[in-house]
Amino acid sequence: QKEVEQNSGPLSVPEGAIASLNCTYSDRGSQSFFWYRQYSGKSPELIMSIYSNGDKEDGRFTAQLNKASQYVSLLIRDSQPSDSATYLCAVNMGAGAGNTPLVFGKGTRLSVIA
Amino acid sequence: DAGVIQSPRHEVTEMGQEVTLRCKPISGHNSLFWYRQTMMRGLELLIYFNNNVPIDDSGMPEDRFSAKMPNASFSTLKIQPSEPRDSAVYFCASSLAGGYGYTFGSGTRLTVV
């Protein structure tokens, strides 16, 4: 069974703080990793992708990947109330570069308090 | 680009009726995915197509569900007969091959009463 696990939250952080979201996955052969943001009543929106071990930064967002630990994280610096949403971790659990489907975690609900 | 287009946005139907959900992927994307989202189970893959060919439908709950992709710009997901437990948000997503992320449509909120 291919699984992606996330803490459901809610995770509450004050405005301006760093929010840290975590995700573990079951398939050691996974190649591609994504973070999606989903506002209430809206569709998931891709915000970060990461394919290699280490950190990848994009504006206030940093994705971190540790394949040996099967662990992915997303850091949001200078959190804003507009960052309040559910964050979904998604993992491509197929070997190779083929377009096998993403497996999604159930998401972590983030609340940024002004 | 208009993105992934789904219709209808909302559907309320009576148990036993046929429901058809529609999706137009982003032009040039060669993979299409149908997901269902509920509070209890999150996003679950139902079926996906590569180059209009169904690759894996093991996520389709039962024979009441069927999906087609007659060409690169259109796909349908049909439920016949519908049941209250089918109530959920159904998302269509498309992507390029090669492990890229997906673009989701706005979803169809289905309520079966």
Side-chain angles (χ1 to χ4, degrees):
Chain A
Q1 182 78 358
K2 298 180 176 179
E3 294 182 339
V4 177
E5 299 287 343
Q6 294 182 256
N7 188 319
S8 63
L11 173 66
S12 294
V13 300
E15 184 176 358
I18 296 175
S20 178
L21 305 162
N22 305 312
C23 168
T24 59
Y25 58 94
S26 61
D27 188 348
R28 186 171 290 277
S30 299
Q31 302 269 331
S32 309
F33 307 84
F34 305 89
W35 284 97
Y36 285 78
R37 178 177 62 200
Q38 187 174 24
Y39 292 113
S40 180
K42 301 295 186 182
S43 58
E45 172 193 13
L46 179 64
I47 55 172
M48 288 289 288
S49 60
I50 187 166
Y51 303 94
S52 304
N53 280 329
D55 294 359
K56 179 181 177 183
E57 186 175 318
D58 184 359
R60 295 186 297 112
F61 298 98
T62 299
Q64 299 175 317
L65 174 60
N66 183 327
K67 289 186 178 180
S69 300
Q70 296 175 233
Y71 179 89
V72 193
S73 65
L74 178 70
L75 301 178
I76 306 174
R77 290 182 300 280
D78 189 24
S79 295
Q80 301 297 309
S82 59
D83 295 326
S84 298
T86 296
Y87 288 80
L88 303 170
C89 175
V91 179
N92 179 315
M93 294 198 179
N99 210 28
T100 52
L102 294 179
V103 177
F104 284 82
K106 292 185 178 179
T108 297
R109 189 156 53 94
L110 173 66
S111 179
V112 181
I113 311 301
Chain B
D1 196 327
V4 177
I5 299 173
Q6 288 188 247
S7 64
R9 290 295 305 274
H10 302 275
E11 177 81 32
V12 180
T13 191
E14 292 185 346
M15 182 174 62
Q17 296 298 305
E18 177 180 296
V19 176
T20 299
L21 311 182
R22 297 173 175 81
C23 176
K24 176 179 169 57
I26 290 174
S27 177
H29 282 189
N30 53 358
S31 294
L32 183 141
F33 308 83
W34 282 100
Y35 282 83
R36 177 172 69 176
Q37 187 174 40
T38 61
M39 288 292 292
M40 287 295 294
R41 300 174 69 88
L43 269 169
E44 300 176 282
L45 178 70
L46 299 176
I47 185 171
Y48 78 101
F49 298 82
N50 281 347
N51 297 314
N52 313 336
V53 176
I55 303 300
D56 185 355
D57 66 354
S58 60
M60 298 284 256
E62 47 199 272
D63 291 346
R64 297 184 296 106
F65 286 68
S66 63
K68 295 181 179 180
M69 191 166 187
N71 56 61
S73 59
F74 185 66
S75 176
T76 60
L77 177 68
K78 184 176 294 186
I79 307 172
Q80 166 64 20
S82 57
E83 297 183 2
R85 60 189 165 132
D86 302 330
S87 297
V89 180
Y90 290 79
F91 287 106
C92 173
S94 70
S95 76
L96 293 167
Y100 296 98
Y102 303 166
T103 301
F104 281 82
S106 298
T108 295
R109 182 173 295 277
L110 173 65
T111 303
V112 183
V113 298

